[in-house]
Amino acid sequence: MTKVAEQPAVKSPGSSATPQVIVSDWIERLDEKLSSLDPLAANLFTPDGTFRDLLALTWDFRNAVGREEIARLLAAQESRPTTFIRIRPGSTPLAESEGTTSSISAFLHFRNSAGRGFGHVRLVQGESGSWMAASLVLALDALDTHPERHQDSRPNGKTHGPVRDRLTWHESLDHDFNVGQPEVLILGAGHNGLMLAARLRALGVPALVVESNERVGDNWRKRYSSLALHTPLASDHLPYLPFPSTWPKFTPKDKLGDFLESYAKLLDLSVWTGTTVDDVSFDESSQRWVVNIQVQDGSPRTVSPRHLVFATGMNAAPHRPELPGQQDYRGTVLHAVDYTGHSSWRGKRAVIVGSGVSGHDIAQDLAEHGVDVTMIQRSGTFVMNTSTFHKVMHANHVSGKYSTEEADLVNAATPFGLLPEHGPKHVEMIKSLDHDLLDGLTAAGFELNDGPDGQGVLGLIFGQNGTGYYYNAGASELIIDGTIKVKHGSVESLNDKGIVLDSGEFLEADLVVFATGYLGAPTAVRKVLGDDIADRVGEFCKVGADREYGRLWRTSGVDQLWFMISLGIGDGRFYSKLLALQLAALNAGTASLPTPGD
């Protein structure tokens, strides 16, 4: 175990020092300690301070909490950045106070042997007057071998002057890969697959996206009519092409589908729609995948990418319960994924099995259009208003203090596995802001819970890797006024006219919708690559013992196999850059990726 001597962390530069001087003094001391791999660098942090390294010191995602862990992390770095941290040019450190705690936060810039990156530090002042880091995150942002072709480095579009046998812009794209092979094959043209493809194109790495739907965006268009994003628009922008200023605050699903289709076209991404994967193998001699696919016209193609990326989503196949008597039921049984809207059910009776986000959305859609709706709630649900969700869970993006990219970096300072510890404070804030709503739900017989150990949504998602929450967009009010009725228990069976609960109660229904969730992302890997590889990568979409999100966005444990999967657009936007940088560095032969732990 690395021992860290207890000694003053940083001598105060003086009570009259400006935030700029204080931060500059702190990073100078950090640089000095790191230059000699001195574990006493950990004394520059608070006793419970955090440090998160995202490809800055090694080709991996690492984090440390507390001085002993930080000392071990810094001592184990593979190569020290050649020109280390400085305050990011053009930015000004921000001094704040909360209660008796004074803090200074600053955006940073660094260079390492591969390229350059950005960081963020939050310093707090101790009783002795010294300044220590409560959190530090460093993330690689650019490679010297693959300059990002955007802004001042964007493509010309047309070379001026005479060019013999000039190709048109479209001819130069070679979307069909008639010349050469893609270096990266991405399975899935949802927002994750498209964002990664856009990142790779900007880095000059040839990538192909294959999608089984007929059009890009169909994975959204085919869902129920009332579906819209719950997250704030500031959290939902895509790389290189943010939503326009006239865009609605909550993006409707069809509009999002159209945007994704336009995104692929405007950014010149190579996407083959109506395409299915028939067979995948790995050729040891060429060190490339061999992927047999069937394209939209039914003809076979074989592509040989160096890297294979699953961007097939956090949820795979729907979980469809098989219940006694289901074959006798004369009504309609659907899973939430197959529900397309209310139009056929006005004046009829519907039972929604499940009280998560989908269950609430579908119940609200039906109830607003004259359907008699009953929701079956098996266990308690964590509920907050959408406005509170934005204020508490997306504070950095909606505050107005940061750009989208800056807010992403500030959020990334907290390791995923540490997020549940912030849950009780969030729950306290939510109960204060939403007490009228929550009291009304309780009075209406709706069962609430506070998540595991009172950690709310953060405990459910990052602690239990589960669901069981709802961001209220109107369904809660319909439950409170009785428009949506609530019953408790599980569905035991069906008969010809409806469902029977485990309590014995019978509910007559014309429509039964099972909002019962989905099988996990590993299901898609098992289907495409078989049991051997699926068993090797395991449950890769869960927060692991290292506090990182499994094997997402970094080495998977299977060479040249990657996962570009995220809970939402925000995480996808941030981590697509980090995954693209790893792929580009491997392409250039400058990266040496580690073997992940369990």
Side-chain angles (χ1 to χ4, degrees), residues 32 89 160 313 327 487:
E32 177 187 348
H160 290 184
Q327 70 279 5
K487 299 289 184 179

Side-chain angles (χ1 to χ4, degrees), residues 259-315:
F259 184 86
L260 294 177
E261 188 171 45
S262 299
Y263 185 84
K265 187 173 183 63
L266 291 172
L267 295 188
D268 296 314
L269 307 182
S270 298
V271 183
W272 294 357
T273 56
T275 300
T276 56
V277 176
D278 291 336
D279 181 67
V280 181
S281 59
F282 188 78
D283 181 57
E284 294 289 347
S285 61
S286 65
Q287 290 294 293
R288 302 182 80 97
W289 295 93
V290 179
V291 184
N292 297 316
I293 58 180
Q294 188 175 84
V295 297
Q296 195 166 46
D297 65 4
S299 59
R301 281 287 302 267
T302 298
V303 292
S304 300
R306 189 178 305 278
H307 300 281
L308 180 65
V309 181
F310 277 77
T312 45
M314 192 69 79
N315 299 321

Side-chain angles (χ1 to χ4, degrees), residues 21-232:
V21 169
I22 291 169
V23 174
S24 296
D25 179 77
W26 184 87
I27 59 180
E28 182 180 339
R29 293 170 185 269
L30 179 64
D31 193 22
E32 177 187 348
K33 296 294 185 185
L34 289 177
S35 64
S36 58
L37 301 180
D38 188 345
L40 291 180
N43 281 322
L44 298 173
F45 293 77
T46 61
D48 59 350
T50 62
F51 175 56
R52 194 156 184 240
D53 165 28
L54 300 173
L55 312 182
L57 305 181
T58 66
W59 287 105
D60 197 9
F61 299 172
R62 306 182 304 164
N63 66 79
V65 179
R67 288 175 178 167
E68 287 194 3
E69 285 191 20
I70 292 171
R72 289 198 298 270
L73 182 148
L74 295 176
Q77 65 186 22
E78 292 176 357
S79 61
R80 176 184 174 274
T82 52
T83 304
F84 202 59
I85 314 169
R86 299 292 180 264
I87 294 174
R88 184 174 180 177
S91 69
T92 302
L94 176 67
E96 296 180 303
S97 60
E98 182 178 343
T100 59
T101 303
S102 297
S103 67
I104 300 172
S105 60
F107 289 98
L108 310 174
H109 173 271
F110 69 87
R111 279 200 56 85
N112 66 15
S113 58
R116 65 182 186 276
F118 297 128
H120 184 265
V121 66
R122 179 173 173 267
L123 303 178
V124 297
Q125 191 171 28
E127 293 181 0
S128 65
S130 60
W131 290 90
M132 296 172 286
S135 65
L136 171 67
V137 58
L138 299 175
L140 188 65
D141 185 65
L143 296 174
D144 293 336
T145 57
H146 288 73
E148 196 170 8
R149 300 182 298 189
H150 75 139
Q151 297 179 343
D152 293 342
S153 301
R154 68 185 69 208
N156 287 327
K158 181 178 181 178
T159 301
H160 290 184
V163 177
R164 186 176 298 278
D165 298 323
R166 181 194 298 269
L167 297 176
T168 66
W169 177 259
H170 183 73
E171 288 171 335
S172 69
L173 296 175
D174 190 25
H175 283 321
D176 292 331
F177 285 94
N178 293 318
V179 179
Q181 291 287 336
E183 287 297 297
V184 181
L185 177 64
I186 302 168
L187 306 183
H191 58 269
N192 283 307
L194 296 178
M195 286 191 287
L196 178 60
R199 299 287 197 190
L200 290 169
R201 174 162 172 73
L203 295 174
V205 179
L208 170 64
V209 186
V210 295
E211 168 61 46
S212 60
N213 282 304
E214 296 303 303
R215 294 171 59 192
V216 172
D218 276 353
N219 57 326
W220 287 94
R221 293 189 193 93
K222 291 180 178 180
R223 300 180 69 184
Y224 53 91
S225 58
S226 63
L227 178 63
L229 297 182
H230 292 91
T231 42

Side-chain angles (χ1 to χ4, degrees), residues 160-485:
H160 290 184
V163 177
R164 186 176 298 278
D165 298 323
R166 181 194 298 269
L167 297 176
T168 66
W169 177 259
H170 183 73
E171 288 171 335
S172 69
L173 296 175
D174 190 25
H175 283 321
D176 292 331
F177 285 94
N178 293 318
V179 179
Q181 291 287 336
E183 287 297 297
V184 181
L185 177 64
I186 302 168
L187 306 183
H191 58 269
N192 283 307
L194 296 178
M195 286 191 287
L196 178 60
R199 299 287 197 190
L200 290 169
R201 174 162 172 73
L203 295 174
V205 179
L208 170 64
V209 186
V210 295
E211 168 61 46
S212 60
N213 282 304
E214 296 303 303
R215 294 171 59 192
V216 172
D218 276 353
N219 57 326
W220 287 94
R221 293 189 193 93
K222 291 180 178 180
R223 300 180 69 184
Y224 53 91
S225 58
S226 63
L227 178 63
L229 297 182
H230 292 91
T231 42
L233 192 62
S235 296
D236 291 337
H237 294 299
L238 274 66
Y240 312 119
L241 191 63
F243 294 115
S245 60
T246 57
W247 199 260
K249 292 181 179 179
F250 301 101
T251 305
K253 56 103 176 179
D254 290 302
K255 196 167 182 65
L256 181 59
D258 290 345
F259 184 86
L260 294 177
E261 188 171 45
S262 299
Y263 185 84
K265 187 173 183 63
L266 291 172
L267 295 188
D268 296 314
L269 307 182
S270 298
V271 183
W272 294 357
T273 56
T275 300
T276 56
V277 176
D278 291 336
D279 181 67
V280 181
S281 59
F282 188 78
D283 181 57
E284 294 289 347
S285 61
S286 65
Q287 290 294 293
R288 302 182 80 97
W289 295 93
V290 179
V291 184
N292 297 316
I293 58 180
Q294 188 175 84
V295 297
Q296 195 166 46
D297 65 4
S299 59
R301 281 287 302 267
T302 298
V303 292
S304 300
R306 189 178 305 278
H307 300 281
L308 180 65
V309 181
F310 277 77
T312 45
M314 192 69 79
N315 299 321
H319 173 59
R320 302 179 189 271
E322 291 292 334
L323 297 169
Q326 192 163 325
Q327 70 279 5
D328 300 322
Y329 178 54
R330 296 178 183 176
T332 300
V333 176
L334 298 173
H335 186 275
V337 72
D338 300 314
Y339 174 79
T340 56
H342 57 264
S343 59
S344 300
W345 307 106
R346 188 183 295 272
K348 297 184 179 180
R349 292 160 299 195
V351 171
I352 312 301
V353 182
S355 57
V357 173
S358 295
H360 276 84
D361 282 353
I362 293 170
Q364 180 179 352
D365 181 45
L366 290 166
E368 288 177 344
H369 294 88
V371 181
D372 182 324
V373 180
T374 300
M375 176 185 289
I376 307 300
Q377 186 183 30
R378 187 174 63 177
S379 58
T381 306
F382 186 83
V383 177
M384 73 177 91
N385 277 316
T386 303
S387 58
T388 302
F389 169 54
H390 294 182
K391 186 179 298 184
V392 175
M393 308 291 288
H394 291 267
N396 290 322
H397 286 91
V398 303
S399 67
K401 294 193 301 184
Y402 307 121
S403 69
T404 298
E405 291 73 19
E406 289 171 342
D408 288 346
L409 189 61
V410 174
N411 285 353
T414 304
F416 288 107
L418 209 61
L419 288 172
E421 295 183 16
H422 297 267
K425 182 179 179 180
H426 282 186
V427 171
E428 182 181 351
M429 294 170 61
I430 291 161
K431 286 186 173 181
S432 174
L433 292 167
D434 291 343
H435 59 88
D436 289 342
L437 177 83
L438 301 178
D439 288 348
L441 286 169
T442 300
F446 187 86
E447 184 181 345
L448 299 170
N449 72 39
D450 293 339
D453 300 320
Q455 296 169 341
V457 170
L458 295 179
L460 287 167
I461 296 175
F462 302 106
Q464 290 189 344
N465 298 286
T467 56
Y469 53 87
Y470 170 58
Y471 309 129
N472 177 42
S476 292
E477 286 82 356
L478 296 177
I479 291 172
I480 291 170
D481 70 16
T483 302
I484 297 174
K485 297 179 285 295

